[in-house]
Amino acid sequence: MIVNKKLDRLKQWGRERMGGEVRTDTNDEFKALEQEMSLRQEGMERLDRSAKSYVKSISRRDAGEEKEKQLPIGYFGTAMLSHAEDFEPDSEFGQCLSALGRANERISRMQETYSANATSSWLESIERSLVQMKEYQAARKKLESRRLAYDTASAKMQKSKKEDFRMEEELRSQKAKYEESSEDVFRRMLDIKEAEVDSVGDLTAFVEAELTYYDRCREVLLQVKRDWPACVSLAPYSEPYINIFC
């Protein structure tokens, strides 16, 4: 019985493809929403790829000479601190290396926090949106299957030369299922549109995390500039570039 129904639907689909059957169609509002959903999904998938690439780049631990890898900027700072120890305590160059090395190690820790915040605010938001879109696509696929079943039952009813209670009951059943799925898909499309409020909130949280990260990085470097060891012993013949810091 199930096999026969599937064969009937396959024939109905084939006739529709060949233009031999008129299929049940949705209204203009429904079609417009479907087109919007398609654009939203394509855009969200691009955002997902770009966000994952970005978060991966700022959280990648592939630098260092020890077994425990570091963020590149952390490795940069550690190398400065390590070499600073090779100089005498009163070495101006050694002091400068130490100051900037500590600053970059601090920035490395800030970057780790920023990476975690970017993941929890924006990346996870995108993934939730994609899950919602995936569920919509599954409902849409179910709707198409039920639409095909409904049109198959309708075509059989029209071609029947005598009244058949079972055919009438099958048609009513398939119509009810189709309308139920149609309402479900429509509701899901509206839910996706309404979820914009949450997406705006998540994107705002990401902007705050990004601003906090760059503001703190700048403050760390400004403190290095204010306390730059080379400024302490400036001589009249100092090079011009030192005056940038002092």
Side-chain angles (χ1 to χ4, degrees):
M1 184 67 177
I2 295 176
V3 173
N4 290 336
K5 285 185 177 181
K6 289 184 176 180
L7 287 174
D8 288 340
R9 293 178 193 178
L10 182 61
K11 292 176 182 177
Q12 174 71 19
W13 177 83
R15 288 192 294 267
E16 289 176 358
R17 298 285 290 181
M18 296 297 292
E21 294 284 353
V22 178
R23 52 175 289 169
T24 300
D25 207 354
T26 53
N27 59 37
D28 291 342
E29 182 185 7
F30 196 98
K31 291 177 182 177
L33 278 173
E34 283 186 313
Q35 292 178 349
E36 182 180 334
M37 292 302 111
S38 179
L39 291 173
R40 282 175 179 267
Q41 181 163 3
E42 291 174 4
M44 196 57 66
E45 287 173 351
R46 288 196 299 271
L47 286 176
D48 182 54
R49 290 192 296 270
S50 67
K52 285 179 178 177
S53 176
Y54 176 59
V55 171
K56 182 179 179 180
S57 71
I58 62 175
S59 60
R60 185 173 60 241
R61 290 173 169 270
D62 60 357
E65 299 171 4
E66 303 297 331
K67 291 182 179 180
E68 185 175 348
K69 295 297 183 180
Q70 300 173 274
L71 295 175
I73 194 169
Y75 176 45
F76 182 50
T78 299
M80 286 185 171
L81 280 171
S82 178
H83 189 41
E85 295 176 357
D86 296 332
F87 295 87
E88 295 295 330
D90 60 351
S91 167
E92 190 174 77
F93 181 48
Q95 291 172 4
C96 289
L97 281 173
S98 181
L100 191 55
R102 285 194 300 271
N104 279 298
E105 283 193 334
R106 286 186 63 190
I107 290 174
S108 176
R109 292 190 291 273
M110 293 173 184
Q111 187 171 316
E112 290 177 347
T113 301
Y114 170 50
S115 173
N117 289 338
T119 298
S120 62
S121 60
W122 186 228
L123 188 56
E124 290 181 3
S125 175
I126 294 173
E127 290 173 351
R128 285 193 297 272
S129 295
L130 287 174
V131 168
Q132 191 177 29
M133 191 63 72
K134 184 178 180 180
E135 291 172 348
Y136 153 72
Q137 290 292 357
R140 191 167 176 265
K141 184 177 180 181
K142 184 176 182 179
L143 171 62
E144 175 59 17
S145 175
R146 287 186 169 182
R147 195 279 307 164
L148 193 60
Y150 171 46
D151 282 351
T152 299
S154 179
K156 289 177 68 175
M157 187 71 183
Q158 291 174 9
K159 293 174 182 178
S160 177
K161 296 181 179 180
K162 60 180 181 178
E163 291 186 4
D164 189 320
F165 173 76
R166 287 176 299 179
M167 282 189 181
E168 292 176 357
E169 184 61 32
E170 174 71 8
L171 181 59
R172 283 193 293 269
S173 174
Q174 294 302 339
K175 181 180 180 181
K177 290 179 181 179
Y178 168 73
E179 290 175 345
E180 178 187 31
S181 284
S182 181
E183 290 173 2
D184 180 50
V185 169
F186 187 74
R187 177 184 56 79
R188 288 179 184 277
M189 291 191 289
L190 293 182
D191 287 345
I192 290 172
K193 285 176 66 68
E194 291 174 1
E196 277 188 18
V197 175
D198 295 330
S199 295
V200 169
D202 295 330
L203 190 57
T204 301
F206 172 68
V207 171
E208 291 294 338
E210 194 170 19
L211 278 171
T212 298
Y213 169 66
Y214 285 110
D215 283 346
R216 289 178 177 176
C217 289
R218 185 174 187 275
E219 182 54 40
V220 168
L221 293 174
L222 284 175
Q223 187 63 49
V224 170
K225 179 180 178 180
R226 288 191 290 267
D227 300 335
W228 194 239
C231 297
V232 178
S233 58
L234 280 179
Y237 52 81
S238 297
E239 295 294 336
Y241 66 82
I242 294 182
N243 292 326
I244 297 175
F245 280 77
C246 309

